[in-house]
Amino acid sequence: GGYSALAQDTDTVTATVTATNLAVSVTDGSIAFGSVALNTATSTAGTGQTQTVTNDGSNATLNVKSTDATNGTTWTLGTSPGSDIFKLEVSTTTGTTYGTLQATDVYLTASSTFTSLTSQAVDFRFTTATASTDFVQKSLTITVQVTTP
């Protein structure tokens, strides 16, 4: 009793691929909160300063981060306002709900579902420090990022 084996010398693998491209743009890219009393929150919602963020690529997660506020004495980004500490929040719901940025230069997820080739209105709420060493105009940079979901 010998055995005979039938074997093929080739077979196939079916493969799929989806091209991804992460790209984002912001219009108009500038916010002027103006003169705001200490320990007071002011928002871009409903003021004509809402930013339009466009996903120019694949489905993505939308993240934002902020620097400290510089010029004169630096105000540090914090989760609640304090002496020379400001709070910054982001909303993708026209100001209905906000997420609080947690620390300087640390990304916060603003939206976990940012559909490819769509735009999203993004608002920011800035709460001034409770006390300030000086009273000069502060400047900060908010960075918007898209990542693979």
Side-chain angles (χ1 to χ4, degrees), residues 7-144:
Q8 57 188 45
D9 61 2
T10 62
D11 203 351
T12 60
V13 173
T14 301
T16 61
V17 65
T18 302
T20 60
N21 177 43
L22 295 173
V24 66
S25 57
V26 179
T27 310
D28 76 336
S30 179
I31 298 169
F33 286 110
S35 296
V36 182
L38 290 174
N39 201 26
T40 302
T42 184
S43 174
T44 59
T47 66
Q49 295 209 59
T50 296
Q51 299 299 297
T52 301
V53 179
T54 302
N55 180 351
D56 298 310
S58 308
N59 288 346
T61 297
L62 175 64
N63 305 305
V64 297
K65 72 176 181 177
S66 176
T67 62
D68 289 335
T70 59
N71 202 20
T73 299
T74 296
W75 284 5
T76 304
L77 174 63
T79 56
S80 60
S83 182
D84 293 328
I85 300 170
F86 73 97
K87 177 181 177 182
L88 185 65
E89 300 162 281
V90 61
S91 174
T92 56
T93 59
T94 321
T96 304
T97 57
Y98 285 90
T100 302
L101 279 73
Q102 298 295 301
T104 304
D105 290 325
V106 175
Y107 280 107
L108 174 75
T109 298
S111 175
S112 56
T113 54
F114 193 12
T115 305
S116 175
L117 307 178
T118 63
S119 292
Q120 171 72 59
V122 178
D123 285 292
F124 294 92
R125 182 166 60 190
F126 186 100
T127 304
T128 54
T130 59
S132 184
T133 303
D134 61 24
F135 297 93
V136 298
Q137 179 175 286
K138 305 297 180 188
S139 256
L140 58 142
T141 300
I142 299 168
T143 302
V144 177

